[in-house]
Amino acid sequence: MAILFHWNSATPEIWHSAFAAAGCGSDIRSIADPGNVAEVEYAVVWAPPAGALKAFPSLRYIYSIGAGVTHVTFDPEWPSHVPIVRLQDRMLVLDMSCHVIHWVLHFHRFYARYARQQDQGVWLHHRYPENAERRVSVLGLGQTGKDACIRLRDLGFPVTGWARSPKRIEGVRCLHGNEAFDTVVRDADILVNLLPLTYATANILDASVLERMPKGSFLINCGRGGSVDDRALLNALDDGHVECAALDVFREEPLPADSAFWAHPGVFVTPHTAAPTNERSAAEFIATQVKVAMDGGRPAPIVDPERGY
């Protein structure tokens, strides 16, 4: 039972040590040197080359080195009969919540305005509302969304969470389904997108949605770039309906040099760094789940192919 490992930015020693500690053995293969491809039963990957995974006929599971799986499923030649195991890492969840909290506070207390004033040498106070008066809506109630909701709730913000199916978080208003989406958007002084990218969520934040947000609202996108209609967002920023946006993910990455987002005064760009994979904790989690499969169990969490996550 061999393991295929592919991640261009990996520290190999960390992963080999984790596989050894979990009892997965030491037969770790690469795409460049796979040996007998029929011996490879597990693929631990991030952004494998297009068509690469179809070369391994004995694959039992594909493990994603990251919370998202579109780096695999957007390959038209990926072996779709093979289950994908999604990364569920405590450090990733914490890092994402820290990113969300940073930008919620940044916008809530008008630090973006003060940054512009500093450039102009202007001394002017802006009165911000109490935390209890600033409504925050979070789209996506997976592990990261749930954790962000709880932490924002504990800071005293009224939080609404939205998901496709019913969820329950103490102290958080949880809504679900298409019929509730309008309420979530209209009540969002600050809208946080943590949705995965699926056919259902592509361009979900379009002009009609942005127009329904309160005037002077804020957007934080650390889900996927494809969920936002870029032109609609730029228009909403230009006319002031959306005051600012913190964008960590984009349709094309790296963000092209000619993108209007770079120079827009209402946009804050970070290079997909909201919750980078922590190698040590991710390697520990994935190695444990590989061993579960080797021992005849079913690793978790398995991606639902219908939902795409």
Side-chain angles (χ1 to χ4, degrees), residues 185-196:
V185 171
R186 290 186 185 277
D187 290 353
D189 297 320
I190 301 176
L191 182 63
V192 181
N193 178 47
L194 284 167
L195 292 168

Side-chain angles (χ1 to χ4, degrees), residues 130-161:
E130 295 181 13
N131 289 18
E133 297 172 343
R134 181 81 77 179
R135 302 166 299 174
V136 182
S137 290
V138 177
L139 304 179
L141 295 178
Q143 263 208 319
T144 53
K146 179 180 179 181
D147 191 74
C149 284
I150 291 171
R151 293 176 188 273
L152 290 168
R153 174 204 68 191
D154 290 348
L155 287 172
F157 292 101
V159 181
T160 298

Side-chain angles (χ1 to χ4, degrees), residues 1 22-24 42 60 288-299:
M1 293 184 289
C24 299
Y42 312 99
R60 296 178 56 204
T288 298
Q289 294 303 315
V290 170
K291 188 61 166 65
V292 168
M294 286 182 169
D295 290 344
R298 184 169 174 82

Side-chain angles (χ1 to χ4, degrees), residues 67-70 73 84-86 140-143 162-165 167 194-201 301-309:
V69 297
T70 54
T73 59
I84 300 176
V85 182
R86 198 164 42 82
L141 295 178
Q143 263 208 319
W162 181 85
R164 291 182 58 179
S165 56
K167 305 287 183 181
L194 284 167
L195 292 168
L197 185 59
T198 68
Y199 292 111
T201 63
I302 297 287
V303 171
D304 182 341
E306 293 295 321
R307 294 186 174 183
Y309 58 91

Side-chain angles (χ1 to χ4, degrees), residues 6-156:
H6 177 84
W7 183 22
N8 289 333
S9 301
T11 306
E13 297 79 11
I14 291 176
W15 292 88
H16 291 183
S17 295
F19 290 136
C24 299
S26 58
D27 192 356
I28 314 299
R29 313 279 181 89
S30 68
I31 289 175
D33 186 18
N36 182 351
V37 295
E39 296 173 347
V40 175
E41 297 187 15
Y42 312 99
V44 178
V45 298
W46 179 259
L53 295 179
K54 71 175 183 179
F56 300 91
S58 304
L59 274 186
R60 296 178 56 204
Y61 292 100
I62 299 168
Y63 295 80
S64 173
I65 307 175
V69 297
T70 54
H71 65 100
V72 174
T73 59
F74 278 12
D75 176 0
E77 298 184 277
W78 80 283
S80 56
H81 64 283
V82 180
I84 300 176
V85 182
R86 198 164 42 82
L87 178 64
Q88 196 171 70
D89 178 36
R90 65 188 186 281
M91 288 303 299
L92 184 150
V93 171
L94 175 60
D95 283 351
M96 185 65 81
S97 288
C98 287
H99 180 90
V100 170
I101 290 168
H102 168 89
W103 287 109
V104 166
L105 293 176
H106 187 93
F107 293 145
H108 169 59
R109 300 189 64 164
F110 300 126
Y111 293 145
R113 295 183 187 179
Y114 293 133
R116 289 194 292 269
Q117 289 177 194
Q118 181 175 341
D119 291 339
Q120 301 162 3
V122 174
W123 185 275
L124 177 65
H125 293 276
H126 297 281
R127 184 183 180 89
Y128 56 85
E130 295 181 13
N131 289 18
E133 297 172 343
R134 181 81 77 179
R135 302 166 299 174
V136 182
S137 290
V138 177
L139 304 179
L141 295 178
Q143 263 208 319
T144 53
K146 179 180 179 181
D147 191 74
C149 284
I150 291 171
R151 293 176 188 273
L152 290 168
R153 174 204 68 191
D154 290 348
L155 287 172

Side-chain angles (χ1 to χ4, degrees), residues 205-211 213 215-217 219 228-245 247 260-261 264-267:
L205 300 180
D206 59 12
S208 67
V209 169
L210 297 173
E211 289 167 2
M213 292 172 63
K215 183 173 177 57
S217 55
L219 174 66
V228 177
D229 181 326
D230 291 350
R231 176 43 54 191
L233 176 57
L234 287 166
N235 290 340
L237 288 162
D238 287 341
D239 67 21
H241 191 78
V242 173
E243 181 168 335
C244 290
L247 308 178
F261 287 136
H264 198 289
V267 175

